[in-house]
Amino acid sequence: MIGLEGVSAQALSDTIGAIYDCALDPQLWPETCRKIAGLCESTGGGICVHDMRHVQNDQLFVFGYQPEFLEKLGSQYAQSPMAAADIVASVGDVSILSTDRQELLESRFYRDVLAPFALTDMIWFPALRTGGRMASLHASRKEQAPHYQQLEIGLFKLLSPHVCRALTISDALDIRTLRSEMLEKTLDVLSAGVFLAARDGRVVYMNEAAERQVKAGTSIRILNNRLDPVDPAASAALSMAIDRAARDDDSAGANQRSLAIPSGNGAGYIATLLPVQRGQRADIVAPFAASVAIFMQDPLEAPMLPGEAFARLHKLTGGELRVLLALAQGLGAKEAADMLGISEPTVRTHLQHMFAKTNTLRQADLLRLLQSSTPAVRAP
């Protein structure tokens, strides 16, 4: 076992106990991160959430950094040595930036991100993976401090299993930015755009339909990581509605949770807002917890028939139905194959079977049949 000279058994025991306390009370993570950093004589640290799908890097419970550094790290994280190392690392594997000091000093990441803020080294390990997102715990040192050595690596190796277990036990600490993979896949199937926003209006999640709405840019866009309707009046109304929903202030306009988000061509979306947490839960995870769910629906798009009923009607298999629902989102055969984790030829085979079962000849005809098989009901 690697020696941990200078670290007392009592300090280790207290730190491990604090880590497990965080599993039940995430408010304790900031102090626990400071405790871990203190054991390895670090000036900064915390927990980061890396979203490889949306190329985002959210900082949770961090300390010891200038806001400008966190912004620069977030914008360049995907090209950093940390991101490259984590692609091949397993959960709990400890890494340091200075493994190859000369290579680090010559890197653009060091020159552009670390050096301007006098940071010389970072130590970290991936602690939890959920779908396309990963949480890692890290610490850092500034100029005049030595690079991390085997003592600090050994300490992080000793603590990493406990941090990983604590995150797993609490199912990502109730941090909404670490979504369950099952929930993410479910939301991605919905035809309505789903945005989850924090109390300050920052968007912490978008499903695939929401991403398409933002990419279209005709009615809604993302500005400074917040939803920003193109129409100025709608922008002000949405901002106020998000604030009210986040506070769950029924007396401040409970009947105004739906509003129009027009576009410049006379169309647009209907936004419906719902609070997703109440009371003290809003204080647990600072600004990264989702406080408001915003459903953005195009009123010209008829709701789809429930998949199970359509499948039973036409005797579709489960695999065929999954392909159909993926294609109904506007995906091509290759995109549907990638999303479902199957080959493109398999998607096309399923399509041929569905053509035969539904008496259609083309994909467009099949999707029109699905679209036209809607319940005869109107939204209230």
Side-chain angles (χ1 to χ4, degrees):
M1 176 179 176
I2 298 172
L4 295 176
E5 296 83 358
V7 181
S8 70
Q10 186 62 52
L12 283 174
S13 176
D14 291 345
T15 303
I16 292 172
I19 288 170
Y20 284 110
D21 287 341
C22 293
L24 299 178
D25 186 358
Q27 289 179 328
L28 299 176
W29 270 114
E31 182 58 32
T32 300
C33 289
R34 289 179 179 272
K35 191 184 295 284
I36 293 172
L39 286 181
C40 59
E41 300 180 346
S42 299
T43 54
I47 294 177
C48 297
V49 180
H50 320 299
D51 188 331
M52 308 311 291
R53 174 179 166 188
H54 300 107
V55 196
Q56 294 177 188
N57 184 63
D58 294 333
Q59 306 290 332
L60 305 179
F61 316 128
V62 295
F63 67 94
Y65 301 112
Q66 298 178 39
E68 295 81 5
F69 166 74
L70 296 177
E71 182 177 350
K72 183 162 287 190
L73 176 64
S75 66
Q76 299 193 27
Y77 176 79
Q79 294 78 38
S80 73
M82 294 153 52
D86 287 343
I87 291 175
V88 296
S90 300
V91 169
D93 287 353
V94 177
S95 301
I96 59 173
L97 278 180
S98 60
T99 298
D100 188 328
R101 297 183 188 179
Q102 190 59 37
E103 182 178 338
L104 173 65
L105 293 175
E106 295 174 354
S107 68
R108 181 177 178 181
F109 180 76
Y110 177 80
R111 294 195 309 269
D112 293 352
V113 181
L114 299 183
F117 301 95
L119 289 166
T120 57
D121 206 357
M122 300 185 79
I123 183 171
W124 77 96
F125 58 85
L128 179 68
R129 278 194 173 97
T130 61
R133 298 176 72 85
M134 180 186 69
S136 65
L137 185 142
H138 74 279
S140 63
R141 285 178 172 174
K142 287 192 172 182
E143 284 179 351
Q144 310 307 322
H147 291 281
Y148 290 111
Q149 306 293 330
Q150 288 301 315
L151 173 64
E152 294 82 23
I153 295 173
L155 174 64
F156 260 51
K157 285 183 176 179
L158 188 151
L159 295 178
S160 66
H162 304 292
V163 173
C164 295
R165 291 187 194 114
L167 289 172
T168 302
I169 289 170
S170 62
D171 191 22
L173 314 172
D174 208 28
I175 296 173
R176 297 304 187 264
T177 43
L178 288 176
R179 309 171 301 279
S180 89
E181 187 173 2
M182 183 64 72
L183 175 60
E184 183 171 342
K185 288 182 177 179
T186 300
L187 292 177
D188 278 344
V189 171
L190 299 179
S191 60
V194 179
F195 300 85
L196 299 185
R199 284 175 295 175
D200 62 358
R202 292 180 55 186
V203 175
V204 299
Y205 171 77
M206 295 185 290
N207 71 346
E208 291 186 353
E211 291 177 359
R212 290 195 294 271
Q213 291 171 350
V214 169
K215 186 176 181 179
T218 56
S219 299
I220 195 80
R221 58 196 173 190
I222 299 292
L223 184 63
N224 296 325
N225 206 27
R226 288 167 173 80
L227 275 178
D228 182 50
V230 174
D231 181 81
S235 181
L238 180 61
S239 178
M240 184 178 298
I242 290 175
D243 179 65
R244 288 172 172 169
R247 289 184 285 112
D248 197 22
D249 187 353
D250 290 336
S251 64
N255 295 323
Q256 300 179 27
R257 293 282 172 82
S258 292
L259 61 154
I261 310 294
S263 68
N265 58 12
Y269 303 113
I270 299 296
T272 302
L273 290 78
L274 294 173
V276 296
Q277 60 182 28
R278 300 170 181 266
Q280 295 182 349
R281 289 173 60 85
D283 298 325
I284 290 179
V285 289
F288 292 100
S291 297
V292 183
I294 304 157
F295 299 88
M296 203 78 66
Q297 180 65 47
D298 185 342
L300 298 180
E301 292 183 0
M304 290 194 301
L305 182 75
E308 182 180 356
F310 188 85
R312 288 181 181 276
L313 181 65
H314 295 285
K315 297 182 173 58
L316 304 184
T317 66
E320 291 164 356
L321 176 60
R322 291 177 66 221
V323 168
L324 178 60
L325 293 178
L327 296 174
Q329 298 178 57
L331 302 179
K334 186 178 186 306
E335 294 172 311
D338 291 341
M339 186 183 78
L340 298 174
I342 59 179
S343 68
E344 187 175 352
T346 299
V347 169
R348 299 195 182 283
T349 297
H350 283 319
L351 264 177
Q352 293 301 321
H353 292 165
M354 286 188 283
F355 292 158
K357 293 178 179 181
T358 59
N359 293 318
T360 54
L361 299 176
R362 301 178 303 163
Q363 180 175 319
D365 296 333
L366 176 62
L367 294 179
R368 268 197 297 270
L369 177 64
L370 178 65
Q371 185 70 25
S372 63
S373 302
T374 53
V377 296
R378 294 165 55 187

